[in-house]
Amino acid sequence: MRLTENIFDAEALYSADMKAHVEEVYRTACRLSRLRSLLDGIKVGASSLREIILTAGEKEKNKSLSDDFEQRLQKAMFGIIKNLSAYQQRKWKEVVGDE
């Protein structure tokens, strides 16, 4: 290795191939840095997405609650239709009263 006192003259010591190789290494390092920052952003997004997505147990619980609500709704609807039918058969105007 050769020591020089003037760093500006040191450029002449390196061949064109060596300069090209150093430039390529620098560009690759820059691309890797950008890729790492992109991956870090993806990791942050994925962790917040994990909080949004439900587990299998949570999905089953929600389905159970939804099914229970649906059954209650159907029972209520059936009761209403049944009562309306009874009122219609018994002359509902007499049951409610004339106003």
Side-chain angles (χ1 to χ4, degrees), residues 2-78:
R2 202 168 177 190
L3 295 175
T4 58
E5 292 186 23
N6 188 352
I7 60 169
F8 297 107
D9 293 337
E11 185 179 342
L13 300 175
Y14 298 106
S15 66
D17 291 336
M18 181 61 89
K19 290 178 188 177
H21 181 67
V22 169
E23 286 178 14
E24 185 60 33
V25 168
Y26 179 76
R27 285 190 188 108
T28 302
C30 289
R31 282 189 225 121
L32 286 174
S33 176
R34 285 189 298 233
L35 182 61
R36 283 187 184 142
S37 65
L38 178 64
L39 289 175
D40 288 341
I42 290 172
K43 286 179 186 177
V44 168
S47 67
S48 63
L49 186 61
R50 262 188 241 127
E51 295 172 8
I52 295 172
I53 297 175
L54 301 175
T55 64
E58 292 170 331
K59 287 180 184 178
E60 186 61 36
K61 183 179 177 183
N62 286 347
K63 185 179 181 321
S64 173
L65 290 172
S66 176
D67 290 345
D68 185 47
F69 179 73
E70 182 70 25
Q71 286 178 343
R72 288 183 183 189
L73 205 60
Q74 286 179 358
K75 285 180 184 178
M77 189 172 59
F78 178 74

